[in-house]
Amino acid sequence: MGRSPCCERAHTNKGAWTKEEDDRLIAYIRAHGEGCWRSLPKAAGLLRCGKSCRLRWINYLRPDLKRGNFTEEEDELIIKLHSLLGNKWSLIAGKLPGRTDNEIKNYWNTHIRKKLLSMGVDPATHRPIHDSAATITAVSVGRTEEKAAGFGREQERSGEEETSARRQHHRPPKCPDLNLELCISPPFQQAPLHPI
DNA sequence: AAACCCACCAACCGCGATACA
DNA sequence: GTGTATCGCGGTTGGTGGGTT
């Protein structure tokens, strides 16, 4: 037996969201709050699967989203956090109020990667590209050899990988020399939307 | 002006983790 | 303790718009 589909595909919309769908979703969450994504589409009168609703809300509709260009400070913070955490985009997003994991992931892949490469830094390992033995990193934060080897190999896109990052899923990063006070929490806490 | 290329980003997919019966 | 449903994450895809030839 396989995993059951997350939604009934025959009766769900796909692709770009319409204004009306956005409005419905916003209105529903304002009234009832987040949660129970599975049943939300039906309750909100949306022909979407719960996953899609959740993504749309988190990545686009949430009122506390910052949007707009990333600042230099945000750039540096992302690089720093990535050197420590690897592709743990949700954790990184947790340290950047108003930014989403998807947004940061996209930004990394389109901007920061190139920026680091142009600086001669391997975005996967945060080491100088032609200095394989060096322990110097692009950012001046402490990190261990073990982490350097374990993180960021995803960029090879060879199928053989995807592994290390995934295997470390939800495992706290080993950073004995740093206390970033990492915790899993929504990127930005505001007063609850729903009056309950 | 048209065709092509490229960068960006919203959205989807698959899977592991977690909750719950 | 086990099986199933649901959530949440990271990787990937595809549409679109802007730039270039």
Side-chain angles (χ1 to χ4, degrees), chain A residues 70-177:
Chain A
F70 282 75
T71 64
E72 262 312 305
E73 292 75 39
E74 285 176 316
D75 267 25
E76 283 178 25
L77 185 55
I78 291 169
I79 293 168
K80 210 175 270 190
L81 289 169
H82 186 272
S83 76
L84 290 166
L85 303 171
N87 295 1
K88 295 285 179 285
W89 305 116
S90 60
L91 287 177
I92 294 172
K95 290 288 166 189
L96 287 148
R99 302 295 189 185
T100 70
D101 54 354
N102 204 37
E103 192 179 12
I104 292 170
K105 178 171 61 182
N106 282 332
Y107 186 65
W108 175 271
N109 287 326
T110 55
H111 292 88
I112 299 183
R113 254 170 60 82
K114 287 174 197 166
K115 182 176 165 183
L116 291 179
L117 285 170
S118 75
M119 290 162 58
V121 174
D122 184 345
T125 63
H126 294 262
R127 293 180 178 192
I129 284 169
H130 43 265
D131 185 6
S132 58
T135 54
I136 302 162
T137 62
V139 290
S140 54
V141 292
R143 58 199 292 272
T144 64
E145 289 294 308
E146 175 194 334
K147 281 205 287 90
F151 283 132
R153 299 206 39 229
E154 89 293 345
Q155 308 299 352
E156 293 166 24
R157 299 179 193 289
S158 66
E160 152 260 325
E161 41 67 43
E162 128 182 285
T163 49
S164 68
R166 267 214 187 280
R167 287 202 201 103
Q168 295 180 28
H169 200 56
H170 292 314
R171 207 175 298 159
K174 292 192 226 165
C175 306
D177 48 348

Side-chain angles (χ1 to χ4, degrees), chain A residues 179-195:
Chain A
N179 177 15
L180 283 173
E181 299 176 59
L182 293 170
C183 59
I184 299 173
S185 61
F188 185 61
Q189 296 290 348
Q190 267 189 341
L193 286 168
H194 47 98

